[in-house]
């Protein structure tokens, strides 16, 4: 059978707007529900959410042997655990049902009723139960920018940075899906003119433009994965906003790193785009100098050309773009991150979330955080309504978007959009 998801010319009988992130070649996975406590594994073509559980129950996924119960779970973890040898054929079979020349469901209005729902009538839930979450720090421009601000240009990149993908263990419980409002966090900060901390709502609330990926295959404690083996353990990617309270972070981070300045919320897009769907967006990596240790060496193209954007939408206003970056601005790639993460024998599990770290390009209009865009608040961003932003204000909605285009086929992630409410 020829692959529909790999065919640039394939079209769906569902109308797909040219600017849609979800042509028939994408087929990402998520969890939706149209009534309380009835979650189902979902995918999307154009603006139509496909209930994969109903699709299977109506007999459209015949010939693939798996436990159908995984399609009625509140998270994708059991579905992902089926393994790529099952989930990839399911993805391909779904595309086949919706391909323009296939009339089985196209001509069956009653089944369509049970299977298709416009996306604005579906509640999209957090797609995975995240067991563990790790945030890396793998964009060199970001590490350099932050190093310049908190140290100086000569010592911006720390000696270890070019030898290993620096990261920290983040908080999984506060990873939430796009659309969920967040409250401004409270905590300790040091006023500029003081040596004594004060407590109160964070004043320097920031986004971090990142990509996340979900582990699709577990390892046993003690196992190490090579950069080559790592490939097989990635299910797919999401957009990721690693919300950050810069004032809390700055005071607390010595000497053990990020803690409450990060753990109050991280937000992700509702759709997990499979690594297979990103195949055409692969790019060769940057030359790594000095040469990295053998366990971090890799072959092949492990970066992705995914355009990334952030907009700020003040209450009652239109969204205003503040940066354009790209997932290709990574020094350390996902395979190196996984090889490093497991080199000490730490086990990884299905549903674990890894985030890239803030992705900053090499020009000031491509930086991935307000900290960098406003250069610690010294260069405010002017919004169309006449206001300015050094950081994120109460009432602002921060919107991340990401997509790649290859041979006229746009593969995207939807968006991560979350409103900031005043401190609780
Ligand atoms: Mn981060």
């Amino acid at each position: 059978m020829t692959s529909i998801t790999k065919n640039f010319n394939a079209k769906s009988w569902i109308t797909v707007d040219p600017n849609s992130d979800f042509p028939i070649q994408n087929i990402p996975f998520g969890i939706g529900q149209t009534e309380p406590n009835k979650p189902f594994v979902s995918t999307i073509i154009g603006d139509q959410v496909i209930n994969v559980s109903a699709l299977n129950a109506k007999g459209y996924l015949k010939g693939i042997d798996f436990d159908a119960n995984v399609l009625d779970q509140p998270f994708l973890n059991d579905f992902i655990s089926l393994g790529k040898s099952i989930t990839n054929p399911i993805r391909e079979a779904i595309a086949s049902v919706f391909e323009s020349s296939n009339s089985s469901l196209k001509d069956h209005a009653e089944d369509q009723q049970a299977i298709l729902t416009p996306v604005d009538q579906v509640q999209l839930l957090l797609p995975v139960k995240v067991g563990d979450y790790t945030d890396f720090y793998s964009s060199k421009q970001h590490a350099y920018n932050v190093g310049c601000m908190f140290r100086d240009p000569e010592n911006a990149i720390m000696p270890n940075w070019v030898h290993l993908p620096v990261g920290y263990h983040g908080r999984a419980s506060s990873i939430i899906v796009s659309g969920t409002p967040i409250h401004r966090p409270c905590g300790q900060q040091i006023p500029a003119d003081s040596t004594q901390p004060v407590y109160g709502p964070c004043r320097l609330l920031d986004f971090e433009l990142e990509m996340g990926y979900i582990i699709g295959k577990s390892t046993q404690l003690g196992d190490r994965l090579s950069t080559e083996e790592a490939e097989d353990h990635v299910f797919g990617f999401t957009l990721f906003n690693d919300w950050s309270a810069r004032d809390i972070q700055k005071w607390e981070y010595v000497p053990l790193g990020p803690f409450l300045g990060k753990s109050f919320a991280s937000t992700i897009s509702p759709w997990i785009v499979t690594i297979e769907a990103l195949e055409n967006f692969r790019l060769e990596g940057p030359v790594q100098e000095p040469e990295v240790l053998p366990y971090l060496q890799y072959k092949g193209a492990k970066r992705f050309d995914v355009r990334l954007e952030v907009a700020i939408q003040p209450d009652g206003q239109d969204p205003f773009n503040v940066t354009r970056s790209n997932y290709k601005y990574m020094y350390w790639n996902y395979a190196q991150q996984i090889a490093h993460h497991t080199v000490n024998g730490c086990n990884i599990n299905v549903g674990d979330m890894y985030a890239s770290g803030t992705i900053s390009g090499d020009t000031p209009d491509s930086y991935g955080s307000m900290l960098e865009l406003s250069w610690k608040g010294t260069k405010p961003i002017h919004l169309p309504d006449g206001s300015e932003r050094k950081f994120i204000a109460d009432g602002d909605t921060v919107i991340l978007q990401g997509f790649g285009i290859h041979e006229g086929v746009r593969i995207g992630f939807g968006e991560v959009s979350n409103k900031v409410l005043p401190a609780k």
Side-chain angles (χ1 to χ4, degrees):
M1 194 174 74
T2 54
S3 166
I4 289 158
T5 58
K6 291 186 173 70
N7 176 359
F8 307 138
N9 297 315
K11 296 267 187 272
S12 175
W13 49 264
I14 295 175
T15 306
V16 179
D17 185 276
N19 289 322
S20 171
D21 285 340
F22 308 113
I24 196 166
Q25 290 84 357
N26 193 342
I27 313 290
F29 290 105
I31 297 287
Q33 65 181 18
T34 50
E35 49 186 311
N37 304 313
K38 290 270 179 66
F40 50 84
V41 169
S42 308
T43 185
I44 183 169
I45 295 177
D47 63 0
Q48 296 292 313
V49 171
I50 296 158
N51 180 331
V52 180
S53 176
L55 191 72
N56 182 56
K58 298 277 184 191
Y60 290 94
L61 299 179
K62 277 195 197 109
I64 306 169
D65 187 23
F66 66 99
D67 177 1
N69 289 318
V70 303
L71 301 177
D72 299 316
Q73 303 301 316
F75 297 105
L76 285 172
N77 298 53
D78 291 347
F79 174 76
I80 294 171
S81 294
L82 294 172
K84 286 172 191 270
S85 66
I86 301 292
T87 57
N88 283 343
I90 289 176
R91 188 170 159 262
E92 206 59 53
I94 294 168
S96 166
V97 172
F98 292 93
E99 197 270 324
S100 55
S101 68
N102 188 335
S103 58
S104 54
L105 179 58
K106 185 184 178 182
D107 293 345
H108 202 311
E110 201 179 308
D111 281 359
Q112 284 185 38
Q113 196 81 11
I115 291 164
L116 296 176
T117 314
V119 65
D120 56 8
Q121 293 169 33
V122 181
Q123 187 186 5
L124 295 171
L125 307 174
L126 183 71
V128 279
K129 185 163 180 57
V130 179
D132 279 301
Y133 152 52
T134 299
D135 193 24
F136 286 97
Y137 191 55
S138 290
S139 152
K140 196 169 192 176
Q141 186 69 48
H142 172 69
Y144 176 77
N145 288 347
V146 174
C148 285
M149 279 185 264
F150 291 113
R151 287 179 297 278
D152 62 89
E154 282 70 47
N155 299 299
I157 302 285
M158 299 297 270
N160 64 349
W161 198 92
V162 291
H163 293 284
L164 56 86
V166 169
Y168 68 95
H169 291 296
R171 183 77 190 167
S173 68
S174 53
I175 295 178
I176 50 180
V177 74
S178 175
T180 315
I182 67 162
H183 285 275
R184 179 173 296 273
C186 292
Q188 285 196 28
Q189 307 136 43
I190 291 273
D193 51 0
S194 173
T195 55
Q196 289 301 306
V198 297
Y199 167 84
C202 134
R203 286 178 300 174
L204 310 184
L205 181 62
D206 202 353
F207 62 80
E208 287 192 338
L209 171 58
E210 306 195 14
M211 291 288 297
Y213 54 91
I214 297 292
I215 293 298
K217 187 176 170 186
S218 303
T219 62
Q220 298 294 313
L221 191 65
D223 288 351
R224 287 190 297 271
L225 292 175
S226 68
T227 52
E228 201 177 331
E229 292 165 329
E231 192 74 39
D232 196 33
H233 290 258
V234 178
F235 179 73
F237 293 78
T238 67
L239 293 172
F240 193 97
N241 183 350
D242 178 25
W243 291 90
S244 300
R246 298 301 180 194
D247 35 13
I248 297 172
Q249 181 184 357
K250 192 181 176 195
W251 170 234
E252 74 175 359
Y253 88 103
V254 183
L256 287 185
F259 188 28
L260 305 185
K262 298 279 190 176
S263 62
F264 59 95
S266 307
T267 51
I268 67 170
S269 49
W271 299 111
I272 302 177
V273 174
T274 64
I275 192 167
E276 289 78 14
L278 294 178
E279 202 53 42
N280 293 315
F281 302 98
R282 287 178 181 270
L283 296 172
E284 299 287 324
V287 175
Q288 294 185 318
E289 182 58 46
E291 187 178 40
V292 299
L293 287 170
Y295 82 93
L296 290 170
Q297 292 172 10
Y298 67 96
K299 290 195 182 73
K302 304 278 189 201
R303 290 193 296 177
F304 296 99
D305 182 8
V306 173
R307 307 173 198 185
L308 300 169
E309 300 181 358
V310 183
I312 295 174
Q313 181 176 22
D315 226 351
Q317 311 277 327
D318 290 330
F320 180 75
N321 178 277
V322 293
T323 188
R324 289 191 166 82
S325 184
N326 193 303
Y327 193 22
K328 71 183 177 185
Y329 297 125
M330 299 291 290
Y331 189 84
W332 298 102
N333 61 56
Y334 65 93
Q336 293 179 305
Q337 290 170 344
I338 292 174
H340 185 63
H341 204 291
T342 59
V343 76
N344 66 347
C346 172
N347 51 331
I348 61 175
N349 289 307
V350 169
D352 285 357
M353 177 117 216
Y354 289 35
S356 58
T358 308
I359 305 166
S360 293
D362 49 15
T363 55
D365 58 355
S366 62
Y367 294 165
S369 65
M370 290 300 286
L371 178 70
E372 295 161 89
L373 290 165
S374 77
W375 206 257
K376 256 198 311 186
T378 61
K379 297 176 183 169
I381 287 177
H382 299 277
L383 300 183
D385 66 355
S387 65
E388 61 175 41
R389 292 290 183 283
K390 297 171 178 170
F391 291 91
I392 302 301
D394 288 349
D396 285 353
T397 299
V398 175
I399 304 164
L400 274 56
Q401 291 182 300
F403 61 91
I405 299 178
H406 182 79
E407 296 285 343
V409 175
R410 171 172 162 149
I411 302 287
F413 295 81
E415 61 180 27
V416 189
S417 171
N418 300 84
K419 186 172 186 173
V420 174
L421 303 177
K424 222 173 185 173

